[in-house]
Amino acid sequence: MTSKLILPMPGFEGLIPPDPGAEADLEVTRFGDGELRVRLHGTVAGDDCAIVGSVSPPGDSLLGLLLAAETLKAHGAHRITAVLPYLAYARSDIPDPGGVQSIGVLGRALEGAGIDEVLTVDVHSPRDAMLFPIPLVSLSPAGALAEVIASEWAVEQVIAPDKGAFGRARELATALGLDDPLSASQLSGTRSVLVVDDIVDTGRTLVECCTALAERDVEEIIISVTHPVFAGLETQKLLSLPVRALYTTDTILEVHRERPYLTRIVSVVPLLRQALAEGTALIR
Ligand code: R5P
């Protein structure tokens, strides 16, 4: 039983379905040229609503979300939570000479459309919440991933592929009862390691890290990466390295994209459902 009216965007009904008997839903259609049109069926006046969707490319998912939020607010919705299991644009969070911190721009656009808060999973960095003008709640998948990994592998050491990954690598290490993470260059004489990162996009970061580990005679590499963007084919190179499994989650719908055969999915839906049902410090 959730305390909010769940309104999934197209494609997200399978991830978090609306409550049975819900009296409101969003219909998304297109004009002939592909422009989006969002309509509300039913009533949301006075309700707290949760729109489940995405702001990721390719396509116009962000615009659809903005239209949906404006539609709900125009029809009297009280508070709107955007449930974005993978928060795209979160990697643009440091000052960029000649550019902008895109995550701040995204946050202002969501706020402008009437969204009161965002619920996500494993946001790229703590800086993202600071650049967001509305509350941004990020759930950690470390417990869920650690439970499955611990039941299948006897990992000795957790590895962070870059500086930004140390925080989430430490969470996995703690959940597995292991020492603090190391970088690949600090390792020697270890047989089985777990590499932890937030995103696999082109796969370059993981391939570089796993190559360095193989050069240090690691026999068994397990990977845990939360968001399976899998935009490039670089990950296929993992198959020629001693990588035994890649654990990821269902924060991105297109998990059918090109990925190595050794991928295993751990669902974050129970985490999201629990947060929606119980509320968090920021989600009232
Ligand atoms: C970088 O800061 C991120 O945490 C990921 O390591 C990175 O985005 C992964 O991208 P790719 O798979 O293209 O190396």
Side-chain angles (χ1 to χ4, degrees):
M1 185 68 142
T2 62
S3 55
K4 292 176 193 301
L5 193 57
I6 307 286
L7 297 144
M9 295 298 285
F12 285 83
E13 307 86 349
L15 193 71
I16 304 186
D19 295 323
E23 286 171 5
D25 68 89
L26 292 166
E27 182 193 28
V28 183
T29 55
R30 289 183 185 270
F31 288 94
D33 65 354
E35 291 170 20
L36 288 166
R37 178 157 54 183
V38 176
R39 283 214 187 89
L40 171 70
H41 296 291
T43 172
V44 294
D47 287 332
D48 286 346
C49 299
I51 309 173
V52 186
S54 160
V55 293
S56 311
D60 39 23
S61 51
L62 169 58
L63 187 57
L65 181 75
L66 299 178
L67 291 172
E70 288 259 6
T71 303
L72 296 179
K73 271 280 154 89
H75 289 81
H78 179 226
R79 291 184 67 78
I80 300 181
T81 304
V83 182
L84 307 173
Y86 169 55
L87 185 63
Y89 295 98
R91 284 179 285 181
S92 299
D93 63 337
I94 48 175
D96 175 11
V100 290
Q101 288 152 297
S102 309
I103 190 67
V105 178
L106 173 69
R108 291 191 287 281
L110 300 183
E111 182 185 38
I115 291 170
D116 296 286
E117 56 210 357
V118 169
L119 176 63
T120 190
V121 176
D122 201 3
V123 73
H124 176 65
S125 119
R127 285 183 298 272
D128 293 306
M130 293 192 269
L131 292 164
F132 237 56
I134 51 176
L136 170 61
V137 178
S138 175
L139 306 175
S140 170
L145 286 160
E147 192 181 328
V148 178
I149 293 168
S151 70
E152 298 178 1
W153 304 95
V155 170
E156 295 163 19
Q157 177 65 50
V158 173
I159 301 291
D162 58 29
K163 222 170 126 193
F166 270 88
R168 64 178 51 79
R170 190 167 292 114
E171 281 184 39
L172 255 295
T174 304
L176 290 165
L178 296 173
D179 291 343
D180 269 0
L182 300 174
S183 65
S185 61
Q186 292 172 304
L187 196 75
S188 72
T190 307
R191 196 190 67 82
S192 174
V193 301
L194 172 69
V195 177
V196 178
D197 207 357
D198 58 337
I199 300 166
V200 52
D201 186 352
T202 63
R204 211 166 292 136
T205 306
L206 288 178
V207 169
E208 269 176 34
C209 178
C210 294
T211 303
L213 291 168
E215 285 166 3
R216 281 167 177 74
D217 298 325
V218 172
E219 289 168 30
E220 183 177 86
I221 303 172
I222 314 301
I223 295 171
S224 171
V225 62
T226 309
H227 305 292
V229 175
F230 285 124
L233 292 176
E234 196 84 5
T235 38
Q236 298 302 331
K237 292 187 185 158
L238 296 174
L239 301 175
S240 60
L241 294 165
V243 176
R244 306 297 177 221
L246 185 154
Y247 291 82
T248 187
T249 77
D250 48 2
T251 57
I252 293 178
L253 292 183
E254 300 88 352
V255 283
H256 58 268
R257 286 183 193 174
E258 288 290 344
R259 56 195 164 104
Y261 65 83
L262 33 70
T263 305
R264 303 187 194 165
I265 311 286
V266 176
S267 182
V268 292
V269 171
L271 274 180
L272 290 166
R273 280 185 167 285
Q274 192 182 348
L276 285 170
E278 293 175 358
T280 67
L282 294 170
I283 297 185
R284 289 164 288 273

